[in-house]
Amino acid sequence: MADTLSLQGKTALVTGAGAGLGRSEALALAQAGASVLVNDFTDRADEVVAEIVAAGGQALAVKGDVSNWALAQSMVATGVKEFGSFDILVNNAGITRDKMIFNLTESDWDDVIKVHLKGHAATSAAAAAHWRAASKAADAPVYGRVVNTSSEAALFGPAGQPNYGAAKAGIIALTLSTSQGLSRYGVRANAICPRARTEMTASVFEGIDQSTGLDALAPERVAALVQYLASPASDEITGQVFVVYGKMVTLMAAPQIEKTFEAPTGAFDAAELDAQLTTHFKGRGKYETYSAYSIAALEKPALAVD
């Protein structure tokens, strides 16, 4: 492995790593040489640790609710205490409570926002405080990588996932703030929008036949990108959003200004807005919104398997 891809001597935390994407990401980071803190709410964390150790790596289970601020701080401290550093944060933990907005309950909303968005924020805040203090103590940038897990739901706004889509959109904003706020300390932060066949997505992708070859939705395909973004090779990449699945990685562009409307007298009244906006939006297509529905065009070629 090239030196710029090696994670030897680095310590990583992967949340929700007991199965699915998190498990694959933890194994990939360990394979690259990182010592891995495996977080999960269940005893499956122990199983992943056992896999890593059996393969010759170093790992430690850190169980508990990822949205707990104190637990997040203790996980960072555990990395430093047990492995000598804390260098990589991969936020993956998540749940779904899919409902249309008119059927959404308060607990459906709170549970999803708590695990996804608060969970990302808790660990990011703990890691950020550690890296900032370390950079100030060294009077130099330190090594830090954050890989957050968003979703195309944040870009589409799916009708049946208002809670999930909102959480994932928040994660993109959190990633941008983390990138902006920590770049001076040497930290790089990026977000991925993966498609992978896991327990959480089993019903979503059940119609796709992958009976031969490597599953186009295999979590290992996503883990390769996470491994790369955690490495020194990615030093010039920060504040970016990637869609990843199948045999492709797609870099998303920032939203663009479509049109600016100007008030003829310096301040709009309703009639003047009507004169400009009504004309502009007349006959506009169903998918011509802020949503990035054009990404759906990637689906067919991306699911092909080499």
Side-chain angles (χ1 to χ4, degrees):
M1 180 176 292
D3 289 345
T4 56
L5 294 174
S6 173
L7 299 179
Q8 198 68 42
K10 304 288 192 296
T11 300
L13 166 62
V14 183
T15 70
L21 269 178
R23 172 185 168 276
S24 292
E25 291 162 350
L27 293 175
L29 296 177
Q31 184 181 39
S35 299
V36 183
L37 298 166
V38 179
N39 164 259
D40 201 82
F41 198 69
T42 73
D43 289 339
R44 291 188 297 186
D46 296 318
E47 298 170 11
V48 177
V49 168
E51 283 188 77
I52 292 172
V53 172
Q58 293 191 96
L60 183 68
V62 282
K63 302 171 195 174
D65 179 356
V66 72
S67 69
N68 184 297
W69 224 256
L71 175 65
Q73 293 169 345
S74 73
M75 289 193 293
V76 172
T78 296
V80 175
K81 179 182 177 182
E82 298 296 330
F83 300 125
S85 67
F86 186 87
D87 310 285
I88 300 159
L89 170 61
V90 179
N91 280 311
N92 167 76
I95 61 171
T96 54
R97 299 286 187 271
D98 294 352
K99 298 281 183 64
M100 299 291 283
I101 187 65
F102 43 77
N103 287 325
L104 192 69
T105 67
E106 185 175 3
S107 63
D108 291 333
W109 176 266
D110 288 347
D111 290 349
V112 169
I113 297 297
K114 177 182 177 183
V115 177
H116 286 278
L117 187 51
K118 187 179 179 184
H120 274 62
T123 54
S124 295
H130 167 76
W131 286 322
R132 179 174 180 267
S135 178
K136 286 182 174 293
D139 194 27
V142 296
Y143 190 93
R145 295 289 187 272
V146 178
V147 182
N148 288 332
T149 305
S150 184
S151 168
E152 290 168 87
L155 309 173
F156 290 170
Q161 294 183 308
N163 47 1
Y164 183 77
K168 291 304 192 181
I171 286 168
I172 290 177
L174 174 65
T175 304
L176 297 178
S177 292
T178 302
S179 173
Q180 289 286 343
L182 298 185
S183 61
R184 73 186 73 177
Y185 304 119
V187 179
R188 308 293 179 254
N190 296 285
I192 61 171
C193 298
R195 289 190 189 183
R197 194 186 305 279
T198 67
E199 291 176 0
M200 196 171 80
T201 63
S203 62
V204 178
F205 299 125
E206 62 185 359
I208 299 173
D209 179 20
Q210 293 295 337
S211 55
T212 60
L214 178 62
D215 190 336
L217 297 168
E220 291 81 5
R221 292 177 179 268
V222 178
L225 176 60
V226 171
Q227 185 188 72
Y228 167 74
L229 290 175
S231 75
S234 68
D235 193 57
E236 294 188 41
I237 304 174
T238 192
Q240 305 298 332
V241 177
F242 297 92
V243 175
V244 53
Y245 61 96
K247 59 182 181 180
M248 60 124 214
V249 172
T250 296
L251 175 63
M252 296 302 300
Q256 302 294 311
I257 296 171
E258 177 180 331
K259 183 175 178 62
T260 299
F261 303 92
E262 293 189 7
T265 59
F268 274 115
D269 60 26
E272 290 169 338
L273 288 168
D274 175 41
Q276 294 193 45
L277 272 68
T278 300
T279 300
H280 182 76
F281 284 97
K282 185 177 179 60
R284 199 175 182 92
K286 176 182 177 181
Y287 297 115
E288 292 181 77
T289 70
Y290 193 77
S291 298
Y293 279 100
S294 60
I295 298 174
L298 295 171
E299 184 170 347
K300 187 174 180 180
L303 293 177
V305 177
D306 275 337

